[in-house]
Amino acid sequence: MGNVLAFCEFTSSGPKSSALSNLTFARQAAAAHGGEVIALLIGPGAAAAAGAVAAFAAKVVTVEDPGLDNYLAETYAPIVARLAGEHGASVVTATATSVGKDLIPRAAALLDAGCASDISKLAAKNQFVRPILAGNAYSTVEISSPVICVTVRQSEFAPAEALGAAGAVSSAPAGAIDAAGATFDHLESQKSDRPDLGDAKVVVSGGRGMKTGENFKVLEQLADLLGAAMGASRAATDAGMVPADWQVGQTGKIVAPNLYFAVAISGAIQHLAGMKGSKTIVAINKDKEAPIFQIADYGIVGEWEKAVPELIEEIKKVKASR
Amino acid sequence: MKILVPIKRVPDPALKTKVKDGAIDLTGANWVVNPFDEYAVETALRLLENGEAGARVAGAEIVVVTIGPEDAAQQLRSALATGADRAIRVDAEDKALDAGVVVAALVQIIAAEKPDLVILGKQAVDGDANQVGQMLAGKLGWAQATFAASVELAADQKSVLVGREVDAGVEYKRIGTPGILTVDLRIVSPHSVKNNVTPATFAYPDGPRYASLKGIMAAKKKPMDVKKLSDYGVTTTPVTREVGIELPAARAAGQIVADIPTLVKKLADEAKAI
């Protein structure tokens, strides 16, 4: 016991940046429990990505099988649970991505483990700090089950640095695969060259006041100028102006970039929960009473139609002068 | 078809969070049905009715269940008033519960009720844990479709095709019955729920329905069983305990800047953000 099994999402070139945040937590937990970190890669390309992941963990275990080509909680959770047992894991962890949130509680049920979701800090060996009530309070929870499952809020843990020596890579069998009647049908995604919302250093978000999806074009110009990801408030995604996966907030993505632009966003509690960890917040809103100004570092009271194009021009000037 | 909808009461999310004696201060809290659980009830209603005709499919039943103290009966009545058929309240103090205990109780209720689908909110907006649906599916060995933004019941009623909001977009996953669904915000959009009964052209109003006066009156006569955890043989005890609570540090007051050139200068020189 005492080891930490870290479920890591990966691409062909290595761990996703969300996985590196998970590995940072995994190292802290392994130190607290007196064990080592075992990175677990499941799915197609796991063996090929293992070498790059081995720079970050003492051990890497890969599981590949044609039956695992598409992620399903039903087929992945039993593997996570079985390997947690085989590797003496006291802590099983993943980043709180849509996969981690779907998978880890199911694995916890199979392990009879208590589960701490979306944690922001390891407070003590079995104690975890996590935001509750839309980030309006931080609760410290103690979990007393022999195995503990955790999902980690990416924005609260810096990406892990590479270790001096590469970890040992091995593969494990998938075992019997039973999807319990579930099948992956298809994924509808909008390809974008912009960074992922969760990783971006700069995020440009628009709200209800943008009025139409067409009007987001000017925000996209600002985003592309700054290498930013695009975000939106629930009002804008609900109105169908922009894709739902742009939503920043309690029930959307949680982001904490260096710089966050909130354009024509009033600043409902649900939205603030998703972005108030940002280092610098800029709000542009024509209503000077909008709650967003209470948390913004810099506010511009004015219409986005005028402010955003001017902002783009001014930033271009500053960039050109360097 | 029979659908079970577990619901939880939460303090009104619109009210300010207060802390007293190292815990969230709930004195005088205004309790409401967790919004995502309201969406779960609405999803069940839409799956089992002709929305245009306003008529329930014959033989369909919706059972709502909560695990909580006597006051929580009020939230069950709210669900009955919008159209659920009967309710079960498992009497327990909030302190005696965590996700594992709730799941253990739901497993037993499901064994007794044998629903075709269990629909839950994806998370309760007080604890924001997002665990119960997945854990329940794991314990039962059932398929799960979490974060559902759309659901389409197959003509043979043996499966549902679920549009799930994931980080990369919308993933479509099919699960057979019996199965577990947890619902996200957009499940209550006008065309999110399809059941081969409501005409495809019919648009629901955005959001969950309100109870009518007639519905509220009818709810008073609908059956509500009150059970104890021991009635279901639940001996699971909580493994999760809150040991501290704190409010987040307030952000320092910001400044309104006069114009864009000033803003850009401050972003470059003061915040060093561009």
Side-chain angles (χ1 to χ4, degrees):
Chain A
M1 295 299 274
N3 291 330
V4 177
L5 185 68
F7 173 83
C8 292
E9 293 175 65
F10 57 90
T11 64
S12 54
S13 56
K16 285 191 179 178
S17 60
S18 61
L20 293 179
S21 294
N22 184 31
L23 289 166
T24 295
F25 165 75
R27 285 180 196 171
Q28 295 171 3
H33 284 261
E36 61 183 3
V37 174
I38 301 143
L40 172 60
L41 313 183
I42 305 178
V53 178
F56 299 93
K59 280 186 184 160
V60 181
V61 176
T62 64
V63 182
E64 286 194 59
D65 188 285
L68 301 171
D69 279 358
N70 289 299
Y71 163 78
L72 288 172
E74 293 80 357
T75 56
Y76 278 40
I79 294 171
V80 172
R82 191 191 83 224
L83 293 174
E86 288 177 8
H87 289 274
S90 299
V91 180
V92 176
T93 172
T95 315
T97 60
S98 57
V99 170
K101 290 188 284 193
D102 186 52
L103 172 68
I104 291 297
R106 187 172 178 111
L110 303 180
L111 289 162
D112 276 323
C115 192
S117 298
D118 206 15
I119 67 154
S120 58
K121 198 166 119 185
L122 177 70
K125 191 177 170 192
N126 296 328
Q127 290 187 359
F128 310 90
V129 180
R130 49 180 307 272
I132 61 168
L133 294 159
N136 284 308
Y138 282 83
S139 167
T140 305
V141 292
E142 184 175 80
I143 297 188
S144 54
S145 50
V147 179
I148 298 171
C149 289
V150 173
T151 58
V152 170
R153 182 172 281 201
Q154 183 185 349
S155 62
E156 300 282 348
F157 292 87
E161 303 277 348
L163 299 168
V169 176
S170 63
S171 69
I177 294 175
D178 178 4
T183 47
F184 169 83
D185 200 88
H186 69 285
L187 177 71
E188 268 178 23
S189 75
Q190 309 227 344
K191 284 269 170 272
S192 161
D193 295 332
R194 298 195 185 96
D196 285 348
L197 252 180
D199 298 342
K201 300 275 185 288
V202 182
V203 173
V204 176
S205 284
R208 187 195 306 273
M210 296 305 297
K211 300 185 196 103
T212 67
E214 185 64 24
N215 287 340
F216 271 74
K217 291 248 154 62
V218 68
L219 297 186
E220 294 183 46
Q221 284 173 29
L222 176 61
D224 292 339
L225 181 61
L226 296 167
M230 285 299 300
S233 70
R234 179 183 166 185
T237 55
D238 272 7
M241 293 181 211
V242 292
D245 56 10
W246 287 17
Q247 187 184 326
V248 171
Q250 182 186 15
T251 60
K253 303 258 168 59
I254 311 283
V255 301
N258 280 333
L259 179 59
Y260 187 91
F261 288 92
V263 182
I265 290 176
S266 64
I269 293 170
Q270 290 81 356
H271 185 73
L272 302 186
M275 46 65 79
K276 65 185 175 188
S278 307
K279 192 155 171 272
T280 300
I281 298 172
V282 175
I284 298 173
N285 203 298
K286 66 180 177 186
D287 173 11
K288 69 179 195 316
E289 306 296 335
I292 193 76
F293 287 123
Q294 289 167 18
I295 67 146
D297 299 283
Y298 304 107
I300 290 279
V301 179
E303 295 189 336
W304 63 264
E305 290 91 333
K306 181 169 169 297
V308 177
E310 197 183 341
L311 182 58
I312 291 169
E313 291 314 310
E314 283 297 320
I315 291 172
K316 279 183 184 166
K317 274 191 224 163
V318 169
K319 284 188 175 270
S321 72
R322 283 176 183 158
Chain B
M1 178 168 236
K2 180 170 174 178
I3 300 179
L4 186 85
V5 184
I7 66 175
K8 184 188 180 188
R9 62 171 196 164
V10 297
D12 188 342
L15 299 180
K16 195 171 165 56
T17 304
K18 287 178 289 185
V19 168
K20 191 177 157 189
D21 304 329
I24 298 291
D25 183 7
L26 293 169
T27 25
N30 178 29
W31 295 94
V32 298
V33 180
N34 173 44
F36 288 106
D37 299 347
E38 274 191 309
Y39 306 160
V41 173
E42 177 67 26
T43 307
L45 291 166
R46 289 188 190 182
L47 279 171
L48 299 182
E49 70 183 4
N50 182 327
E52 191 170 67
R56 179 69 63 82
V57 171
E61 187 181 25
I62 299 170
V63 182
V64 288
V65 48
T66 199
I67 302 165
E70 202 172 349
D71 295 352
Q74 207 180 323
Q75 282 70 44
L76 288 174
R77 290 281 173 216
S78 305
L80 293 173
T82 53
D85 300 295
R86 62 190 173 83
I88 301 168
R89 180 175 70 83
V90 181
D91 190 58
E93 288 305 314
D94 293 329
K95 277 194 173 61
L97 301 172
D98 69 357
V101 179
V102 168
V103 167
L106 290 175
V107 165
Q108 297 305 322
I109 293 168
I110 288 163
E113 294 288 337
K114 301 184 175 57
D116 300 291
L117 278 177
V118 180
I119 308 182
L120 308 90
K122 73 162 183 175
Q123 72 194 64
V125 301
D126 52 355
D128 284 334
N130 191 337
Q131 296 175 355
V132 169
Q134 296 91 314
M135 283 184 172
L136 184 58
K139 281 286 181 208
L140 293 165
W142 289 8
Q144 68 188 49
T146 53
F147 325 142
S150 69
V151 57
E152 195 176 332
L153 183 62
D156 66 2
Q157 304 211 339
K158 300 275 193 246
S159 71
V160 283
L161 180 65
V162 180
R164 307 178 55 232
E165 290 195 355
V166 297
D167 294 342
V170 181
E171 180 201 276
Y172 287 84
K173 176 177 184 177
R174 185 175 293 282
I175 63 167
T177 56
I180 305 272
L181 208 60
T182 81
V183 298
D184 212 322
L185 299 169
R186 275 163 282 270
I187 197 73
V188 290
S189 300
H191 298 284
S192 293
V193 179
K194 296 196 168 68
N195 67 354
N196 292 305
V197 178
T198 301
T201 49
F202 178 73
Y204 277 98
D206 213 352
R209 66 197 65 188
Y210 294 105
S212 64
L213 187 59
K214 193 171 150 226
I216 293 167
M217 296 309 287
K220 291 180 180 167
K221 297 197 186 83
K222 288 181 178 174
M224 185 183 303
D225 282 348
V226 181
K227 301 277 196 180
K228 294 195 287 288
L229 285 169
S230 57
D231 294 338
Y232 291 107
V234 174
T235 52
T236 312
T237 51
V239 295
T240 309
R241 188 169 67 96
E242 185 166 86
V243 293
I245 196 110
E246 53 187 270
L247 297 179
R251 282 187 80 96
Q255 48 183 306
I256 298 288
V257 291
D259 52 38
I260 296 289
T262 316
L263 171 67
V264 172
K265 192 164 167 27
K266 282 178 182 287
L267 284 177
D269 301 342
E270 204 171 272
K272 308 210 181 300
I274 56 171

